[in-house]
Amino acid sequence: MNTKNLTTQILFSMLFGCILGIILNLYFMDYAFVKDFLVNNVFHVIGQIFIASLKMLVVPLVFISLVCGVAALGDINKLGRLGGKALLFYVSTTAIAITLAISLALLVAPGEGFNLSVTTAPDFIPQEAPSLAQTIINLVPDNPVKAMAEGQMLPLIFFSLLFGIAIVMAGKAGKRIEQQFNDYNAIMMELVSILMKIAPFGVFCLIAKTFSLQGYDVIMPLISYFLVVVGALLIHALVTYPLLLKTFTGLNVGIFLKKMRQVQIFAFSTSSSNATIPINIENTEKKLGVDNSVASFTIPLGATINMDGTAIMQGVATVFIANVYQIPLGIEQYLAVILTATLASIGTAGVPGVGLIMLAMVLNQVGLPVEGIALIIGVDRLLDMMRTAVNVTGDAAGTVIIAKSEGALNQERYNKILS
Ligand code: ASP
């Protein structure tokens, strides 16, 4: 099946899942057959199998692909430059994202006049966010196998980079191993293609389940908060990234957005940047024309430290909670929010719901009540889906820009219409 057909199929399965989920939620959730069998068994089981099979590929793919990428670079200076550019791009776009979110939220003022009694939110038990020092120490795995088994991305990236560097330094022996890794990489890419074939079913079940369980009633009291987050996410995805792409690469941004659709649907339905890594690497290499030496590094790194969508939610949530509790914030506090949320986004793992946990750190920083998180928890599932789609778009946009600047972008492939 060609990619265009597959994208269309995945898109339709998302739409059908959405429509069916809403219908089930409105009219059929009182039937035990629908709720217990269809939603909580059929949709749940297929959806979870789909997510598990995506996650199954993450660790081997990141390790193999990154080792190949570093070995192909063949130059540690280049690697350092790549890392520097990636960090600069990721951190500055996150700061832009949260500034945009706070500005929009201040303009619309969601939460003003909010009636606290309308929410029936469960109590939120804040969890301890890891400290910056611990985050830095955790970069180095004391046991790489454990890091792999637990799917810890940054230590895995660290070990893979070192392994790749050692291959370059090992001369002839390194060349032989590099060749083997290239073969493994080709096999991993085939595995990704196999998995894509079940994607329409997986996406359908995940979306149908979420929408049948999420009623409108949780959104209505929070509609202003919800819409401001969605608005800022859309502006960031449709204006900020295209502008940056156009400015730094001169490429056609319409092509980028079109080719990102499939990856965004994966991120949307799984709510996990990590689970989307294999699809995002494949897409940036095969469709956007980025060389493996760049994509294999910047995509997993971005999925781990670059969370623009999450930062947007955190910015709007901070203003919302300040409004609800009628605690006015000054300019220094907003600057502190920008700084903390940017750092928090580095420490946020690319898995569902972590953004809310890290929000506790941001709220603490400016002295807002952490219990405020309970107010927005009800709509977070849907927002998590949308912000994850933005998170992965940012990783790909950064990857294309960095690849172009490194002469590692196949422009012909980028411009090629999907067939
Ligand atoms: N689900 C998000 C991601 O994986 C993280 C978050 O905002 O909770 O990118």
Side-chain angles (χ1 to χ4, degrees):
M1 190 189 330
N2 65 35
T3 28
K4 190 162 181 197
N5 274 346
L6 188 65
T7 309
T8 316
Q9 272 194 16
I10 296 175
L11 195 67
F12 272 111
S13 47
M14 185 181 96
L15 282 182
F16 284 142
C18 214
I19 295 169
L20 180 72
I22 291 172
I23 294 176
L24 291 182
N25 178 274
L26 288 177
Y27 305 110
F28 295 98
M29 283 312 263
D30 292 338
Y31 297 90
F33 170 79
V34 172
K35 191 170 177 207
D36 299 334
F37 178 71
L38 196 62
V39 175
N40 287 328
N41 270 299
V42 178
F43 292 165
H44 176 71
V45 169
I46 300 179
Q48 289 310 308
I49 288 177
F50 174 59
I51 293 195
S53 47
L54 276 175
K55 286 196 193 155
M56 169 180 84
L57 298 187
V58 173
V59 170
L61 185 78
V62 169
F63 177 56
I64 294 169
S65 181
L66 195 45
V67 169
C68 287
V70 178
L73 271 182
D75 177 352
I76 297 165
N77 288 339
K78 260 193 206 166
L79 185 65
R81 208 174 51 221
L82 213 60
K85 283 183 185 173
L87 268 182
L88 183 70
F89 182 88
Y90 290 153
V91 171
S92 43
T93 47
T94 305
I96 295 175
I98 185 156
T99 311
L100 168 78
I102 291 179
S103 315
L104 201 64
L106 286 176
L107 209 72
V108 179
E112 256 178 19
F114 185 83
N115 180 1
L116 274 175
S117 65
V118 292
T119 79
T120 48
D123 281 345
F124 177 77
I125 302 157
Q127 294 183 26
E128 192 77 27
S131 71
L132 187 60
Q134 198 53 44
T135 308
I136 293 171
I137 296 171
N138 289 347
L139 280 179
V140 183
D142 52 5
N143 177 348
V145 179
K146 180 166 157 255
M148 286 184 187
E150 291 176 356
Q152 301 166 3
M153 292 312 291
L154 288 178
L156 171 61
I157 291 175
F158 186 87
F159 178 71
S160 313
L161 288 178
L162 271 187
F163 199 89
I165 291 171
I167 285 185
V168 175
M169 293 165 65
K172 264 195 195 151
K175 274 275 161 244
R176 287 197 297 271
I177 295 296
E178 183 184 349
Q179 187 50 49
Q180 281 194 17
F181 265 84
N182 283 334
D183 292 347
Y184 284 134
N185 201 28
I187 292 168
M188 287 311 298
M189 285 295 165
E190 283 309 317
L191 264 176
V192 175
S193 308
I194 295 174
L195 206 128
M196 300 285 273
K197 301 215 164 71
I198 64 157
F201 303 101
V203 167
F204 172 79
C205 290
L206 283 176
I207 301 271
K209 182 184 167 207
T210 308
F211 278 84
S212 39
L213 295 178
Q214 289 274 322
Y216 281 116
D217 37 342
V218 292
I219 299 183
M220 283 333 272
L222 292 162
I223 193 78
S224 59
Y225 163 72
F226 188 86
L227 290 181
V228 176
V229 177
V230 174
L233 289 175
L234 285 175
I235 296 175
H236 200 59
L238 301 176
V239 180
T240 314
Y241 294 141
L243 263 180
L244 289 171
L245 263 175
K246 193 83 211 158
T247 315
F248 288 109
T249 66
L251 293 166
N252 179 329
V253 293
I255 294 182
F256 174 80
L257 291 174
K258 208 163 168 188
K259 290 189 173 178
M260 278 308 290
R261 229 173 345 194
Q262 207 177 66
V263 180
Q264 288 164 337
I265 295 175
F266 270 81
F268 184 81
S269 44
T270 59
S271 290
S272 169
S273 300
N274 274 6
T276 314
I277 290 174
I279 313 299
N280 209 358
I281 291 186
E282 198 218 41
N283 192 64
T284 34
E285 289 181 13
K286 295 216 172 127
K287 293 194 205 144
L288 294 169
V290 176
D291 195 76
N292 170 262
S293 59
V294 175
S296 66
F297 180 32
T298 54
I299 294 288
L301 184 70
T304 317
I305 67 166
N306 182 42
M307 310 272 168
D308 294 358
T310 303
I312 284 176
M313 176 278 286
Q314 291 173 341
V316 180
T318 308
V319 177
F320 176 77
I321 290 169
N323 283 344
V324 171
Y325 286 91
Q326 295 173 6
I327 303 174
L329 297 181
I331 181 83
E332 319 82 55
Q333 279 152 314
Y334 284 118
L335 289 177
V337 171
I338 294 175
L339 188 70
T340 327
T342 306
L343 290 177
S345 118
I346 296 177
T348 304
V351 291
V354 186
L356 258 204
I357 296 172
M358 298 306 270
L359 176 61
M361 175 172 151
V362 180
L363 295 177
N364 265 332
Q365 184 66 33
V366 288
L368 286 173
V370 174
E371 308 79 73
I373 293 179
L375 301 175
I376 52 174
I377 227 168
V379 285
D380 199 62
R381 183 75 191 90
L382 285 180
L383 290 179
D384 195 6
M385 298 165 94
M386 294 184 225
R387 67 179 181 251
T388 308
V390 172
N391 289 346
V392 300
T393 309
D395 304 338
T399 298
V400 171
I401 291 175
I402 295 165
K404 181 81 179 19
S405 76
E406 288 286 316
L409 184 82
N410 180 337
Q411 223 151 307
E412 215 174 295
R413 193 178 285 183
Y414 178 95
N415 287 324
K416 199 169 154 212
I417 303 300
L418 295 175
S419 65

